[in-house]
């Protein structure tokens, strides 16, 4: 009894195991078949070289040619690469669902007609890895937002998401490229516009600047040209009008009447030309256009015509100085053939007057004048040479003759020469000649008014720049009075001999003023005699005694008062005359005599020196 029971239990377990093995094998086989089918028919967007969509009698064929997508049926035109990439990416992510028959576990082959696949409603073809694959599209499934499809290779039927139908464009125009020009807009090096009023051409120079070539040769405004070119490049086709057009007269596209825009892009052998015609009937905001190499007529925004009509003057560079003032290394002022002054920028970014003499220059004054010229803009480009029709003149009037020359330290910028021609409206505006340009330009008079022609104006106004710790003694003389002061061991300054104090407040004020003495301006570069400016009978003489390591003593001679305020002055050993403002003069000139009790006299370590003798 026990043996029989054991036999039945063993037989039951074995039967259950066989059934489980059979069921699992069947399930695994179906899963493997589905995975294999997915791998076989799945699109790899980057590897597809041709895509075909057929719906009824409509057949659209797109093909990669030299790496770019083109439509080859029903029109030969550029395809919208972005739209096709979007479509292929969606198809790539489309996975098949249930497999309906045609498997080892379900060998029955379903009837294609039952699923709307005979004949198919639509079909998708693609070429990948050199093989053409076809997917037939049938009707929608009754439940689950699914769609029946069948592969041509093995006629297996699957269900997929019905999103497939919504992905495909409704018309072929949705797959067409709507860009007027292709390529990298930053590599455009030339623009040609042929219009009724003549030919316009701008060209990029090797240094990145732009230049007008037609209808005249002149510098172009880099920013304006760049914005203009970008606008031309970004215009888009609004709609496609007609195909296979050989005579564009009806669209205003006859070459004798139409406007042509050609962009030349580096790396492309020929320019890309768009012809612009008349306004679209019933759509005044759009105009007809076509490509030079095509027979399609399409509509574009009327803005394109306005861009093509840009005035030449609007493209011209209105800067007088075509480079930043920070790059100016030298500038000169001339009056006819006579050079007035030359200034050079040092490596320290300071300026030096190198003609008519060598002086440190006043940096702020130099930069202020350069800034005035750098910010100046041309108000008007005259179209007749100077003297012919300007202000009604029939003969050339006198030329002012002054000239400003600016040289840049950047290779390729060169120099600019600006010649004064004549004032307008009493100097509110001026006519200038730029370089060798025959036609004058008109500017505001501010930079001309700011330019000073006296070389001494540019001379550096710092007279003394002395470290106070290097000063060991101050000596002064005014009239018959003399005085001297030295610091004690604590650094406190003390008077060493009698006489009235020459300062109204404290010796610290004098020390601060003298060690950082600055002129208000220069009067003469050299005088031959002290009889001028009151130096034969100076109001005061100052000597700054320095420690041995700081060099020789410095001497200041204060001459006569100026009628406009302040006093004339010069330094010992130098014949240049400058003037000090009233505030500085108040510190350095003696006050009315008063009783002063000096500190006990001490022996000076510096021998007495005659302060006036300049020899």
């Amino acid at each position: 009894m026990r043996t029989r029971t054991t036999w039945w239990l063993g037989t039951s377990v074995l039967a259950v195991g066989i059934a489980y093995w059979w069921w699992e094998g069947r399930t695994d086989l179906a899963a493997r078949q589905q995975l294999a089918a997915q791998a076989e028919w799945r699109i790899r967007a980057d590897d597809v070289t041709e895509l075909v969509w057929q719906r009824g009698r409509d057949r659209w064929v797109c093909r990669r040619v030299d790496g770019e997508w083109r439509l080859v049926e029903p029109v030969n035109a550029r395809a919208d690469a972005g739209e096709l990439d979007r479509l292929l990416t969606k198809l790539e992510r489309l996975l098949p669902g249930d497999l309906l028959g045609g498997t080892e576990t379900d060998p029955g082959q379903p009837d294609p007609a039952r699923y709307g696949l005979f004949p198919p409603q639509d079909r998708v073809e693609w070429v990948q890895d050199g093989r053409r694959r076809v997917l037939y599209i049938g009707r929608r499934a009754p439940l689950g937002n699914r769609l029946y499809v069948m592969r041509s290779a093995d006629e297996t039927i699957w269900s997929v998401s019905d999103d497939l139908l919504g992905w495909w464009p409704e018309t072929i125009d949705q797959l067409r490229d709507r860009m007027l020009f292709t390529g990298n807009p930053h590599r455009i090096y030339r623009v040609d516009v042929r219009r009724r009023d003549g030919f316009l051409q701008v060209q990029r120079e090797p240094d990145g600047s732009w230049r007008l070539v037609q209808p005249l040769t002149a510098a172009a405004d880099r920013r304006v040209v760049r914005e203009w070119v970008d606008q031309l490049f970004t215009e888009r086709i609004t709609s496609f009008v007609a195909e296979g057009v050989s005579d564009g007269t009806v669209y205003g596209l006859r070459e004798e009447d139409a406007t042509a825009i050609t962009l030349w892009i580096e790396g492309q052998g020929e320019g890309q030309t768009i012809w612009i015609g008349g306004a679209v009937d019933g759509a005044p905001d759009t105009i007809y256009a076509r490509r030079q190499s095509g027979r399609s007529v399409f509509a574009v925004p009327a803005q394109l015509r306005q861009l093509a009509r840009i005035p030449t003057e609007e493209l011209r560079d209105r800067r007088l100085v075509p480079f930043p003032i920070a790059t100016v290394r030298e500038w000169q002022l001339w009056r006819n053939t006579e050079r007035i002054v030359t200034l050079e920028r040092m490596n320290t970014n300071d300026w030096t007057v190198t003609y008519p003499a060598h002086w440190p220059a006043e940096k702020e004054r130099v930069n202020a004048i350069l800034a005035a010229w750098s910010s100046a803009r041309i108000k008007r480009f005259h179209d007749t040479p100077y003297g012919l029709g300007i202000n009604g003149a029939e003969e050339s009037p006198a030329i002012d003759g002054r000239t400003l020359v600016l040289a840049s330290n950047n290779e390729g910028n060169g120099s600019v020469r600006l010649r004064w021609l004549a004032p307008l409206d009493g100097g509110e505006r001026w006519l200038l000649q730029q370089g060798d340009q025959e036609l004058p330009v008109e500017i505001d008079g501010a930079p001309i008014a700011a330019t000073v022609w006296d070389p001494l104006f540019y001379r550096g106004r710092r007279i003394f720049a002395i470290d106070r710790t290097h000063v060991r003694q101050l000596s002064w003389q005014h009239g018959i009075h003399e005085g001297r002061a030295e610091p004690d061991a604590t650094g406190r300054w003390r008077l060493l001999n009698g006489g009235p104090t020459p300062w109204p407040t404290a010796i610290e004020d004098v020390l601060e003023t003298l060690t950082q003495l600055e002129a208000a301006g220069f009067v003469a570069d050299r005088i031959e005699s002290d009889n001028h400016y009151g130096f034969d009978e100076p109001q005061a003489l100052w000597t700054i005694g320095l420690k041995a390591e700081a060099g020789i003593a410095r001497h200041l001679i204060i001459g006569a008062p100026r009628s406009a305020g302040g006093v004339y002055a010069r330094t010992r050993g130098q014949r240049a005359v400058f003037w000090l403002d009233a505030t500085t003069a108040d510190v350095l000139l003696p006050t009315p005599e008063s009783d002063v009790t000096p500190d006990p006299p001490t022996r000076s370590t510096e021998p007495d020196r005659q302060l006036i003798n300049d020899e």
Side-chain angles (χ1 to χ4, degrees):
M1 183 68 180
R2 290 181 179 177
T3 302
R4 181 178 299 175
T5 302
T6 301
W7 184 84
W8 278 110
L9 287 173
T11 301
S12 300
V13 170
L14 179 62
V16 171
I18 291 172
Y20 177 80
W21 173 82
W22 179 82
W23 177 257
E24 284 296 310
R26 184 178 186 276
T27 304
D28 288 345
L29 178 61
R32 288 196 301 272
Q33 284 181 310
Q34 186 166 358
L35 290 174
Q38 290 176 0
E40 168 66 20
W41 83 294
R42 187 175 181 180
I43 290 178
R44 297 191 302 275
D46 293 339
D47 297 331
V48 174
T49 58
E50 183 176 307
L51 182 65
V52 180
W53 176 270
Q54 186 166 339
R55 173 175 291 176
R57 295 183 179 180
D58 293 332
R59 177 179 169 85
W60 306 340
V61 181
C62 303
R63 187 174 298 148
R64 285 190 202 263
V65 179
D66 297 329
E68 295 184 353
W69 281 105
R70 290 195 63 84
L71 280 163
V72 294
E73 287 186 42
V75 294
N76 185 5
R78 289 200 308 256
D80 187 332
E83 184 68 19
L84 282 171
D85 288 342
R86 181 190 65 80
L87 178 58
L88 285 171
T89 299
K90 289 186 175 183
L91 290 173
E92 183 178 38
R93 296 173 181 172
L94 182 69
L95 297 177
D98 297 330
L99 175 62
L100 309 178
T103 68
E104 294 182 16
T105 57
D106 185 13
Q109 185 67 35
D111 180 9
R114 177 184 174 187
Y115 300 98
L117 292 165
F118 187 78
Q121 297 181 17
D122 306 296
R123 62 189 286 174
V124 178
E125 301 177 24
W126 68 95
V127 176
Q128 180 176 294
D129 301 330
R131 295 175 56 193
R132 182 176 296 274
R133 295 171 171 83
V134 181
L135 188 68
Y136 299 106
I137 301 174
R139 65 175 178 81
R140 296 178 186 270
L143 298 174
N145 298 323
R146 308 295 289 178
L147 185 71
Y148 297 120
V149 297
M150 181 174 69
R151 298 189 312 173
S152 62
D154 53 15
E155 297 185 352
T156 53
I157 298 176
W158 300 78
S159 67
V160 298
S161 170
D162 62 1
D163 289 342
L164 175 63
L165 295 179
W167 294 341
W168 204 262
E170 291 295 327
T171 66
I172 188 62
D173 288 350
Q174 292 177 257
L175 289 178
R176 296 185 68 169
D177 186 6
R178 293 177 180 265
M179 294 181 63
L180 289 175
F181 303 98
T182 60
N184 185 345
H186 297 290
R187 302 190 68 184
I188 296 173
Y189 66 90
R190 190 174 117 192
V191 182
D192 300 340
V193 181
R194 203 197 80 171
R195 49 196 188 187
R196 292 183 179 181
D197 62 349
F199 189 67
L200 171 66
Q201 184 182 95
V202 291
Q203 185 167 304
R204 193 182 67 205
E205 299 294 298
D207 63 357
S209 63
W210 285 84
R211 192 164 188 81
L212 277 160
V213 181
Q214 290 288 344
L216 77 165
T217 301
D221 188 312
R222 183 174 182 172
R223 180 188 60 81
V224 173
V225 172
R226 187 68 262 172
E227 291 178 355
W228 178 58
V229 170
D230 287 345
Q231 286 181 291
L232 288 173
F233 197 88
T234 54
E235 289 294 337
R236 295 291 185 268
I237 296 170
T238 58
S239 63
F240 296 90
V241 178
E243 303 297 328
V245 177
S246 57
D247 183 2
T249 302
V250 68
Y251 304 104
L253 290 169
R254 193 176 64 169
E255 292 191 3
E256 291 78 5
D257 303 322
T259 297
I261 303 172
T262 304
L263 301 187
W264 299 80
I265 302 177
E266 294 174 352
Q268 299 182 4
E270 297 181 353
Q272 301 179 39
T273 301
I274 298 293
W275 288 89
I276 301 172
V280 175
D281 296 337
D285 293 336
T286 57
I287 55 177
Y288 294 113
R290 69 173 178 84
R291 292 189 173 89
Q292 175 78 27
S293 58
R295 299 178 67 183
S296 298
V297 174
F298 41 83
V300 297
Q303 168 71 10
L304 186 62
R305 174 181 288 158
Q306 298 305 315
L307 291 173
R309 290 176 175 175
I310 186 170
T312 302
E313 185 170 319
E314 189 172 325
L315 292 173
R316 294 188 67 174
D317 190 353
R318 292 182 175 270
R319 296 174 301 166
L320 282 173
V321 182
F323 39 78
I325 60 171
T327 68
V328 176
R329 59 174 174 81
E330 179 183 281
W331 62 288
Q332 301 176 352
L333 292 174
W334 292 73
R335 183 175 283 110
N336 295 317
T337 59
E338 176 190 2
R339 180 165 52 150
I340 304 301
V341 65
T342 298
L343 295 102
E344 292 185 12
R345 190 193 299 270
M346 301 292 101
N347 292 333
T348 59
N349 214 31
D350 293 320
W351 287 91
T352 297
V353 177
T354 59
Y355 184 88
H358 278 76
W359 309 314
E362 191 67 27
K363 182 177 179 179
E364 289 74 17
R365 287 185 170 183
V366 174
N367 286 339
I369 293 175
L370 286 178
W373 284 102
S374 178
S375 61
R377 293 295 181 266
I378 297 172
K379 300 172 68 71
R380 177 187 172 193
F381 296 94
H382 285 257
D383 53 8
T384 55
Y386 177 57
L388 299 179
I390 298 178
N391 292 339
E394 296 181 357
E395 298 181 357
S396 296
I399 293 176
D400 182 273
R402 289 177 291 175
T403 302
L404 168 66
V405 180
L406 299 172
S408 171
N409 57 14
N410 281 359
E411 185 177 353
N413 281 340
S415 63
V416 60
R417 180 170 58 86
L418 303 172
R419 188 185 186 196
W420 280 233
L421 293 178
L424 301 174
D425 296 336
E428 291 292 325
R429 296 172 294 119
W430 271 80
L431 291 178
L432 297 185
Q433 180 184 20
Q434 285 183 298
D436 297 327
Q437 292 289 329
E438 181 181 8
L439 301 179
V441 297
E442 184 179 316
I443 68 166
D444 184 83
I448 290 180
T451 305
V452 178
W453 288 80
D454 182 0
L456 291 173
F457 173 82
Y458 302 100
R459 185 168 181 169
R461 291 175 291 171
R462 179 69 66 186
I463 305 301
F464 296 145
I466 302 172
D467 187 339
R468 287 184 52 174
T469 63
H470 293 162
V471 180
R472 64 175 182 81
Q473 187 182 86
L474 284 179
S475 302
W476 63 92
Q477 178 179 341
H478 58 88
I480 62 173
H481 300 288
E482 295 183 359
R484 188 170 60 200
E486 289 182 354
D488 61 17
T490 65
R492 180 172 175 237
W493 283 82
R494 295 180 180 276
L495 295 172
L496 300 181
N497 59 343
T501 176
W503 46 80
T505 52
I507 195 169
E508 288 291 331
D509 294 339
V510 176
L511 186 64
E512 181 66 27
T513 300
L514 281 176
T515 54
Q516 302 299 319
L517 186 63
E518 185 171 291
F522 281 84
V523 179
D525 179 41
R526 182 177 180 83
I527 58 171
E528 299 300 331
S529 171
D530 283 339
N531 295 331
H532 303 289
Y533 305 104
F535 296 126
D536 53 340
E537 295 182 3
Q539 296 189 70
L541 303 166
W542 285 93
T543 297
I544 308 172
L546 302 176
K547 297 177 181 179
E549 64 270 19
I552 63 174
R554 306 289 196 274
H555 307 278
L556 176 68
I557 307 171
I558 300 179
R562 291 175 73 242
S563 59
V567 294
Y568 294 110
R570 69 180 180 88
T571 60
R572 182 180 179 185
Q574 299 290 328
R575 308 303 293 184
V577 179
F578 51 89
W579 63 279
L580 304 174
D581 60 30
T583 301
T584 303
D586 288 343
V587 175
L588 298 179
L589 288 177
T591 60
E593 294 187 6
S594 60
D595 294 332
V596 175
T597 302
D599 292 330
T602 60
R603 182 178 179 85
S604 173
T605 58
E606 180 184 66
D608 291 337
R609 296 180 180 178
Q610 183 176 352
L611 301 179
I612 305 180
N613 183 13
D614 289 342
E615 301 301 328

